[in-house]
Amino acid sequence: MSTSNFRIHPAIGFARVGNSSEYYLEPNTQAALPIPGDTSGSATGGLPIKPGTENDSITSADLRDANGALKRQAARFKIYAYPAQTTETYPMGVTGSEIRIGSQIDGKTVTDIVWTVHLANKKSNWYIIPEDLGIDNYKNGATPALRNNIPPFSANINDSTRLSQLVIDPGPRTVQGANAVPVAFNKQTTANSWVDGKGVVQWPNYPQSYPADHFPNMDCPHGPIDTLGELQTDQYGRLIVTGGYGRACAMIDPSTKQPYSLNSDIDNDGWFDDGSDGPVYATLQYSDGSSQDVQGHAWVTATDPAYAPQTLNSVSLWDDMHDVWVRHLALQPSLFASGTFQTSYQPSFGDELFPIFRASAMQMWNTNLNLTGSTAHASVDEIQPDTDPATTILSGLGFIRNPNDASQLQNSRMMPLSLGDAGQSFLTLRKTQYFYLTQWESKQYSQSGTLSLNAGEYLDKAVLVNCLGGRFSPGIDLTFIVRDPALYVQNWQTSGTGPFRIQPKALDYSTAEATQPFLSAGYTPNIQNNPLTDTNPVDTNPGSPGLEPGDASKFMALPWHTDYNSCATHQPDPVPQFNNTLYWSWPAQRPVAVYVAKDVTDNKLPAQRFSVRGDGTKTDPFDPAQVGRYQQRINMIDHWHKIGIVVQGSAIDTSDGGPFSASYYLEVQSKLDNGGDPVVPWPNTVAPLSNE
C-alpha cells in the first residue's frame, strides 16, 4: 500500500474547439496570474503554451495553422503525489511531486499510466436555458421546458428514443504510454475503459451514437459531427485532451423539408454542436505488476475558443467557484466560518486583491469604453501593495456594487459595468471578492504575504482564473451549476480527492447493450436556497448521485455559436426604471470592440473596430442594440473561426506588425474584412425610453 495520495491536476480542464487538426496547450503551467508592478515587458498571463513545452508561450503566429485554420486548445492533465493525510486543509501546506512514467514510488517504478476519459454531448436532450433565474430555475424540484419538444420526440426527458437520438455519446476511451498516438472519440474506435483486475477492456456493444446515425440528410455547413475529439499523451505520459472542430448541424424539419432555423440565441430545436464534457481517470502501473487508481479524478469540458485568452474577467470562474467552496464547503475556515467572513483574515494583496484591480483595468481592451472610462479603469491597475486606499479612486468602495445590499443590485451607476444574471440586472463581485475589498479598505490585508499554493493547487486555480464566471446566462466555459454545492465531492477533506472536484456518477460499462442508450438524462440541480445570494449557506442537496459525461456542457447554448454572436451589448434584464443604456455581457471572453494590431502606427492606438465585423454585421438603419454581431445567426456558424484573437503586444510577431508595448492588448489574425458599423464610444443607448 502506497504512503502517498495521488490526484490529477487541474481538477477541471478546458479544451477549446478550432477548425484545425493542430493544437496548443491550455495555459495551466504558465505564470497565468497577474503580478503587481510587473514591468518586465514579457508576455505573461493567460497565453496558451506550445506543445511539448512546460512554459513556452505561443505567439500570434501560433494561433493558426499554415492554411489559416484556427488551432484547437488542448487540456493537459498531470498527476501529483502528496503525503497521505487524515484530514486535509486548503491550501495543503505540502509540496507534492509530479508522477510521470519512470517515477519511483515506495521502491517501485511507474512503468505506465492508463488514462480513461468519457466525453458526451447532451445539449439536445436537455431543458431550455431561461435567462432570468439561472440556477433558481431548478428550485425545489422545478425544471424549465424541454428543448426539442417536437415530433417525433416524447416530452419525457428519459425516453429511450430521446436518449438514443439526441445524445452524442462515443463512450469511454483509454490512452496510455509516452507519446501515444491520438485515440479518437469516433465510431471507428471501439469504446474501452480500465477495469481493476482486468486492465483495459473493450466494449464492442457500447451504443455509440452520432447525429448522422439517426437523421439522414442533415445540414452540416462544415462537415458532420462524427467525433468529439481525441486523447493522446506527451513524452512523460501526461494526458492531452483535444475537443471537437466547432461544427454545428441541423436536422431537417419534417414540416418544411428544410433545415431547422436558428430562431434563438440560446435554445435551437433541431440543432447539434460538438462541445462535450466528461470525467478523467488515471491508473498507475508499477514495475512489480501491480496497479493503483488515482484517488483525485478530474473533469474536462470542450467549449468555445478563447478569443482573448489573457484578458481577465471581473468575475472569473475561479471567483465564482471559490466563493461557493468558501461559503458552502468549508474550504478555508480562517476566511469564512459559522456563516460569517472572519475579519481577522488578511487577504494577500498579490493573490487576492490585485487580480480584482487588474481585471477592472483590462476591460478597456475588449469594450468600447470612452476615454474617461478607460483612464479611470487604468488608474485601478496602478494600485500597489503600499498604496493608501483612501487616496485611490476606489476610496470608500462607493463605486463598487455591494453583493450584500439588495438595493444596489439594479444600480446602473456602479461597477462592474457588465450585465448580471439570476434576476440581477448588473454583475456584482462575488461575496468573497467584496470581503477582500472591505478588508483592503480597512487596511486589514497583507502587503507581501502569499497563499503558498503547491504546483497542483496552482494548476487548479490558474485554469479557472482564465475562464468566465457570472454573467451565467448561460456563459461560455461552464455555467450556473458551479454554484450548486452538491455538484462537488463533499468529503474532500478525507477522501483524498481534495477540493474543486466535480462528483462523478459511477458507471458500469459491462452493462452496456448495443440496442439501448447507456447514459440517462443525468444530473439535475435541486436547490432550496440560492447559493449565490443566501445568507445562511448550507449544502441543501447532499448526496447528489454525481454527473455523467455530458452533464456539465448540456446547460450551455445550443449551438454555442448563436449565444456568442448575441452577447455583444444588451439592455439589462430586468430593465431598471428609466434606463436605456446598453451594457456588455462577457467582454473578457467575448470581445466587443478591439484595437487591431495592423491598424497601429507609431505605437499609438488606432480607432477601434468590432471584433465581429464585416459582411453580414452592418445594421441598416444603424441600431446600437444590434451592432458588433451578425444580423443573421447562421453567419456565425460560417465565420466563427475567422474571428481575431486579442493578445499582449509583446507576444505579437513581426508578421502581425509587432512586437508592441507589453501594456497593449491588440487583435491579431482576424480573417474578417473591416466592414460593418463604426464603433461609437460608450455609453450607447436605445431610444426612445419606454418608461418615461
Side-chain angles (χ1 to χ4, degrees):
M1 181 176 179
S2 173
T3 59
S4 299
N5 169 264
F6 303 95
R7 64 190 64 165
I8 303 168
H9 295 282
I12 303 175
F14 292 87
R16 298 185 183 276
V17 300
N19 65 328
S20 170
S21 60
E22 297 181 30
Y23 68 89
Y24 40 72
L25 295 172
E26 181 177 39
N28 64 8
T29 59
Q30 191 177 341
L33 309 181
I35 303 171
D38 178 20
T39 58
S40 64
S42 62
T44 60
L47 271 176
I49 304 165
K50 295 181 180 181
T53 71
E54 290 302 298
N55 301 299
D56 294 350
S57 304
I58 65 168
T59 65
S60 62
D62 297 312
L63 293 165
R64 297 184 181 276
D65 65 21
N67 296 317
L70 185 65
K71 293 181 183 179
R72 293 176 292 171
Q73 175 182 293
R76 178 168 64 179
F77 295 91
K78 302 178 180 181
I79 298 171
Y80 282 83
Y82 304 98
Q85 301 178 72
T86 304
T87 303
E88 184 174 333
T89 60
Y90 182 85
M92 292 177 70
V94 296
T95 302
S97 58
E98 186 185 352
I99 302 302
R100 306 173 176 179
I101 294 176
S103 293
Q104 297 291 312
I105 300 174
D106 296 336
K108 298 183 291 186
T109 301
V110 176
T111 56
D112 208 350
I113 302 173
V114 182
W115 299 88
T116 300
V117 182
H118 187 166
L119 297 178
N121 179 313
K122 295 183 176 182
K123 287 185 178 183
S124 293
N125 187 47
W126 194 238
Y127 302 103
I128 66 170
I129 312 297
E131 295 188 59
D132 53 347
L133 295 176
I135 201 168
D136 271 1
N137 283 294
Y138 297 87
K139 209 162 192 174
N140 300 315
T143 57
L146 271 179
R147 286 173 174 164
N148 283 309
N149 190 12
I150 55 177
F153 300 112
S154 162
N156 175 8
I157 196 170
N158 272 305
D159 176 76
S160 62
T161 300
R162 290 186 66 98
L163 293 172
S164 294
Q165 299 186 5
L166 297 178
V167 174
I168 306 173
D169 181 16
R173 298 290 188 276
T174 60
V175 67
Q176 64 189 94
N179 295 313
V181 298
V183 176
F185 286 93
N186 62 15
K187 184 164 288 187
Q188 289 70 44
T189 308
T190 303
N192 58 72
S193 67
W194 172 269
V195 178
D196 286 338
K198 296 182 179 180
V200 175
V201 177
Q202 304 296 314
W203 307 113
N205 288 328
Y206 192 89
Q208 294 194 50
S209 180
Y210 304 85
D213 296 338
H214 314 287
F215 308 105
N217 305 315
M218 295 188 73
D219 183 43
C220 297
H222 299 281
I225 299 174
D226 52 10
T227 181
L228 292 183
E230 303 89 35
L231 305 179
Q232 55 191 294
T233 62
D234 68 9
Q235 66 270 35
Y236 303 113
R238 300 163 175 159
L239 175 66
I240 296 171
V241 183
T242 47
Y245 292 88
R247 295 172 181 170
C249 293
M251 296 185 277
I252 303 300
D253 185 342
S255 64
T256 65
K257 310 303 181 184
Q258 298 295 318
Y260 275 92
S261 299
L262 293 168
N263 296 319
S264 168
D265 293 329
I266 299 178
D267 302 288
N268 287 285
D269 288 342
W271 280 81
F272 296 88
D273 70 22
D274 64 357
S276 64
D277 72 276
V280 177
Y281 301 101
T283 300
L284 305 177
Q285 292 186 306
Y286 295 117
S287 51
D288 65 356
S290 64
S291 63
Q292 181 170 12
D293 291 341
V294 173
Q295 299 101 316
H297 64 278
W299 207 269
V300 64
T301 185
T303 184
D304 308 21
Y307 292 103
Q310 293 169 281
T311 309
L312 297 174
N313 294 276
S314 297
V315 177
S316 70
L317 191 57
W318 165 259
D319 296 321
D320 242 307
M321 285 181 55
H322 181 252
D323 180 67
V324 169
W325 275 82
V326 164
R327 296 192 298 113
H328 296 260
L329 293 166
L331 183 71
Q332 294 172 266
S334 62
L335 169 58
F336 185 94
S338 302
T340 304
F341 285 103
Q342 304 299 296
T343 55
S344 59
Y345 185 86
Q346 294 198 345
S348 159
F349 183 88
D351 294 329
E352 295 166 315
L353 284 162
F354 188 70
I356 301 174
F357 304 148
R358 173 58 58 84
S360 173
M362 296 188 82
Q363 302 310 300
M364 66 167 286
W365 298 107
N366 296 0
T367 62
N368 55 319
L369 267 178
N370 56 34
L371 179 60
T372 300
S374 295
T375 302
H377 281 66
S379 69
V380 177
D381 196 46
E382 297 171 359
I383 298 173
Q384 295 299 308
D386 59 353
T387 302
D388 184 348
T391 66
T392 71
I393 194 173
L394 299 181
S395 177
L397 305 183
F399 292 114
I400 307 297
R401 199 172 288 112
N402 184 347
N404 305 293
D405 186 346
S407 67
Q408 296 187 15
L409 302 184
Q410 312 300 96
N411 189 328
S412 63
R413 295 181 175 88
M414 305 185 80
M415 303 292 290
L417 285 176
S418 296
L419 298 173
D421 63 23
Q424 298 180 11
S425 298
F426 300 101
L427 183 67
T428 64
L429 298 180
R430 298 298 78 116
K431 291 185 176 183
T432 304
Q433 289 178 288
Y434 192 79
F435 171 73
Y436 293 157
L437 289 181
T438 61
Q439 291 294 88
W440 171 75
E441 172 69 16
S442 301
K443 301 183 181 179
Q444 298 299 311
Y445 68 97
S446 172
Q447 294 187 14
S448 59
T450 66
L451 292 181
S452 300
L453 300 179
N454 63 39
E457 290 170 327
Y458 176 82
L459 293 187
D460 294 344
K461 180 176 181 179
V463 166
L464 296 169
V465 163
N466 283 285
C467 296
L468 171 73
R471 174 187 195 207
F472 287 143
S473 58
I476 284 183
D477 307 304
L478 289 175
T479 187
F480 48 77
I481 62 171
V482 302
R483 297 174 182 160
D484 180 8
L487 184 75
Y488 307 105
V489 174
Q490 304 294 299
N491 60 339
W492 64 273
Q493 296 103 325
T494 57
S495 64
T497 63
F500 310 117
R501 308 270 165 182
I502 291 176
Q503 175 67 54
K505 181 180 177 180
L507 299 176
D508 182 359
Y509 296 112
S510 69
T511 66
E513 300 179 27
T515 59
Q516 295 294 322
F518 183 79
L519 299 178
S520 69
Y523 157 80
T524 303
N526 181 10
I527 65 165
Q528 282 72 51
N529 59 324
N530 190 313
L532 178 63
T533 59
D534 70 89
T535 56
N536 183 28
V538 294
D539 179 11
T540 57
N541 185 28
S544 170
L547 272 65
E548 294 180 350
D551 274 352
S553 59
K554 69 188 181 187
F555 292 86
M556 309 306 289
L558 178 64
W560 65 264
H561 314 67
T562 53
D563 197 24
Y564 187 92
N565 182 60
S566 167
C567 285
T569 56
H570 296 278
Q571 278 189 285
D573 182 17
V575 181
Q577 189 175 24
F578 307 125
N579 184 289
N580 69 339
T581 303
L582 298 164
Y583 296 86
W584 304 286
S585 291
W586 318 312
Q589 301 290 110
R590 197 288 193 199
V592 178
V594 297
Y595 297 96
V596 177
K598 290 192 174 180
D599 290 346
V600 175
T601 57
D602 299 324
N603 220 32
K604 295 180 181 179
L605 292 177
Q608 287 184 300
R609 300 185 187 277
F610 285 113
S611 171
V612 178
R613 58 184 183 268
D615 187 35
T617 64
K618 186 175 180 59
T619 59
D620 189 16
F622 182 75
D623 183 354
Q626 296 298 324
V627 296
R629 55 171 65 87
Y630 288 109
Q631 304 308 302
Q632 301 294 324
R633 297 182 181 94
I634 191 65
N635 287 340
M636 182 57 79
I637 303 291
D638 293 329
H639 300 302
W640 63 272
H641 52 89
K642 299 178 182 178
I643 296 172
I645 312 295
V646 177
V647 299
Q648 193 172 16
S650 51
I652 298 176
D653 291 288
T654 55
S655 59
D656 288 303
F660 297 96
S661 167
S663 64
Y664 285 178
Y665 290 81
L666 309 173
E667 183 208 71
V668 295
Q669 295 285 330
S670 175
K671 300 296 182 181
L672 300 172
D673 66 57
N674 288 329
D677 295 302
V679 175
V680 178
W682 188 86
N684 310 100
T685 60
V686 294
L689 279 171
S690 59
N691 46 7
E692 283 187 321

